[in-house]
Amino acid sequence: MTTESAWIEKYKAAMLESDWTKVWALIQPAESAIRERQRTLILDRSGSMAEKDEMAHALSGLKSLRGDVLHWKDRRESPHS
């Protein structure tokens, strides 16, 4: 797996996981892989604009997913649900 595809695989793993109890643990590694790839592209002054846009969208999607997981946890832990 290349560093270019590593972030994509981790992102997909988090976004496609259907077991809410596992999603939380997949978000951080995906975010870290994206940020590492972004740092590499900045240092190398490389990468396509399309990939940079994809990473920005992926981080936004993971942020949204994080909120969904927190909402799910709150509902699950609430005695009135």
Side-chain angles (χ1 to χ4, degrees):
M1 184 178 336
T2 67
T3 55
E4 183 176 350
S5 64
W7 76 263
I8 295 170
E9 294 304 316
K10 290 180 180 184
Y11 169 73
K12 285 180 181 179
M15 296 302 284
L16 297 176
E17 178 59 60
S18 60
D19 184 342
W20 284 101
T21 63
K22 296 178 182 177
V23 173
W24 190 258
L26 296 172
I27 294 172
Q28 181 60 41
E31 289 172 333
S32 294
I34 293 168
R35 289 193 178 100
E36 181 60 33
R37 178 67 177 156
Q38 288 174 323
R39 279 191 291 277
T40 299
L41 296 181
I42 289 168
L43 292 174
D44 293 350
R45 297 179 187 209
S46 63
S48 68
M49 195 57 163
E51 183 183 9
K52 292 173 185 175
D53 287 345
E54 289 171 3
M55 287 186 288
H57 289 290
L59 285 172
S60 178
L62 290 167
K63 181 179 178 181
S64 179
L65 182 60
R66 184 184 299 277
D68 291 345
V69 172
L70 288 173
H71 178 73
W72 173 80
K73 283 183 174 185
D74 286 346
R75 289 190 54 196
R76 188 169 178 233
E77 294 170 1
S78 173
H80 296 81
S81 44

